[in-house]
Amino acid sequence: MAEVKPDQTLDCAGLLCPMPVVKTRKVIKEMQVGQILEMIATDPGSIPDMEAWAKQTQHELLLAQKEDGGKFRFLIKKTH
């Protein structure tokens, strides 16, 4: 996958479920269709949470991966 440049970054490190999802939903609402949000989380449950949220909301989850240092990185494309 080519490197995707996010339009906005949301740092949810240290927040537990459901706060990363709640904050992501709020920021995505304010973005334009086609823009990409990078979200950083430390909650181990954030990958299945974001996969379920993206499926439910039909926004495109471009990336969901574990990074070094116990962080998780997500790239979400607003589709509507």
Side-chain angles (χ1 to χ4, degrees), residues 4 11 15 23 28 38 53 72:
V4 176
D11 186 358
L15 300 177
K23 288 185 171 275
I28 280 282
E38 175 185 47
W53 177 82
F72 300 90

Side-chain angles (χ1 to χ4, degrees), residues 1-45:
M1 178 176 166
E3 185 64 29
V4 176
K5 184 174 182 197
D7 296 289
Q8 192 167 342
T9 298
L10 174 64
D11 186 358
C12 292
L15 300 177
L16 297 176
C17 182
M19 290 313 294
V21 172
V22 170
K23 288 185 171 275
T24 297
R25 182 180 65 206
K26 182 177 179 186
V27 171
I28 280 282
K29 276 186 173 181
E30 298 168 356
M31 296 176 70
Q32 301 294 315
V33 172
Q35 287 189 315
I36 296 172
L37 173 66
E38 175 185 47
M39 193 273 279
I40 306 296
T42 52
D43 182 353

Side-chain angles (χ1 to χ4, degrees), residues 61-76:
L61 186 59
L62 302 174
L63 177 76
Q65 71 180 23
K66 186 173 183 177
E67 303 265 301
D68 292 337
K71 291 187 177 183
F72 300 90
R73 181 174 182 239
F74 302 90
L75 293 174
I76 305 138

Side-chain angles (χ1 to χ4, degrees), residues 21 45-57 59 61 64 74:
V21 172
S46 60
I47 287 183
D49 288 348
M50 290 308 299
E51 288 173 344
W53 177 82
K55 185 176 180 179
Q56 181 182 15
T57 62
H59 291 296
L61 186 59
F74 302 90

